[in-house]
Amino acid sequence: TFSMVFADTGWEAPETYAHLDHLRDKLGPIDVVGSPGGMVAKIRDRAGFPGRMQRWCTMELKIEPLRKYHDAYTQTFGSDTVSVVGVRADESEARAKLSEVEDDDQWNGWIWRPILKWTVEEVLAIHHRHGIEVNPLYKRGHDRVGCYPCIMSGKEEIRLIAEHSPERINELRALEVEATAERAVRNAETPDRYSHPVASF
């Protein structure tokens, strides 16, 4: 059997959710997994944001929900799995070090990255050949279409979000104020719990 699954962080762009509907029309059902409350609930629970040195977002909002889905699948069907992931080596130094196929103990199954060595042009060509649109965020100039914004986003991507989705920037500012206030409360209860009193994205 074959299943498609999307890990929803609750922090995606509206265009990404609309694009999922396009993919469902073209490819069929896509299951959705996630963590209750998504990114906002995690920020409130931690009184802070993920950071470059503490990227808990990927593990808690994507990998752990996907692993639960995977484990339920293997229990139901009682067979080995192959997780097919569409990452490319050109996307980052870390991804350039990945193998195309591996039996991953942490994942408890096989991982296959069929487009790991593909170019952007090859990816666009297969979309065109099968009548699949790319996520409109790419056409707008974004380099990534995951969290909106991702903690790894550059200034140009933040500028694009501010230009096209100022409400998301306002939400970030409000969460910064809320998390900073919560840090003050928690530091009063447990001194030095947060070495940085200001929570900032």
Side-chain angles (χ1 to χ4, degrees), residues 88 115 118-128 134:
R88 295 186 314 106
I115 67 170
W118 286 24
T119 64
V120 170
E121 290 74 22
E122 289 171 317
V123 173
L124 293 175
I126 200 167
H127 275 74
H128 182 71
V134 299

Side-chain angles (χ1 to χ4, degrees), residues 2-23:
F2 170 73
S3 297
M4 292 180 287
V5 59
F6 172 70
D8 184 3
T9 65
W11 196 246
E12 316 292 329
E15 292 87 346
T16 295
Y17 293 118
H19 186 62
L20 273 175
D21 290 333
H22 165 69
L23 293 176

Side-chain angles (χ1 to χ4, degrees), residues 54-72:
Q54 294 183 341
R55 292 177 60 186
W56 48 260
C57 45
T58 301
M59 178 60 70
E60 296 182 17
L61 296 173
K62 293 185 177 184
I63 295 174
E64 288 176 0
L66 286 167
R67 177 63 194 266
K68 286 180 184 176
Y69 178 93
H70 167 270
D71 290 351

Side-chain angles (χ1 to χ4, degrees), residues 107-147:
W107 178 251
N108 194 29
W110 289 92
I111 299 176
W112 178 33
R113 304 176 182 95
I115 67 170
L116 187 66
K117 300 290 198 295
W118 286 24
T119 64
V120 170
E121 290 74 22
E122 289 171 317
V123 173
L124 293 175
I126 200 167
H127 275 74
H128 182 71
R129 189 160 66 244
H130 293 284
I132 305 291
E133 295 291 327
V134 299
N135 187 311
L137 294 179
Y138 286 128
K139 295 179 181 179
R140 188 183 292 166
H142 288 272
D143 291 331
R144 57 181 72 238
V145 296
C147 288

Side-chain angles (χ1 to χ4, degrees), residues 83-175:
S83 177
V84 183
V85 184
V87 298
R88 295 186 314 106
D90 288 346
E91 293 172 333
S92 71
E93 288 183 27
R95 290 180 177 178
K97 296 174 185 174
L98 295 173
S99 302
E100 186 173 324
V101 178
E102 66 177 307
D103 186 3
D104 188 285
D105 290 336
Q106 183 180 11
W107 178 251
N108 194 29
W110 289 92
I111 299 176
W112 178 33
R113 304 176 182 95
I115 67 170
L116 187 66
K117 300 290 198 295
W118 286 24
T119 64
V120 170
E121 290 74 22
E122 289 171 317
V123 173
L124 293 175
I126 200 167
H127 275 74
H128 182 71
R129 189 160 66 244
H130 293 284
I132 305 291
E133 295 291 327
V134 299
N135 187 311
L137 294 179
Y138 286 128
K139 295 179 181 179
R140 188 183 292 166
H142 288 272
D143 291 331
R144 57 181 72 238
V145 296
C147 288
Y148 192 73
C150 171
I151 192 65
M152 303 300 286
S153 294
K155 290 180 180 178
E156 177 60 20
E157 289 199 75
I158 299 296
R159 185 194 66 76
L160 285 169
I161 293 171
E163 181 180 334
H164 294 277
S165 300
E167 67 281 357
R168 179 50 59 93
I169 301 301
N170 291 337
E171 185 178 7
L172 272 173
R173 287 181 176 136
L175 284 167

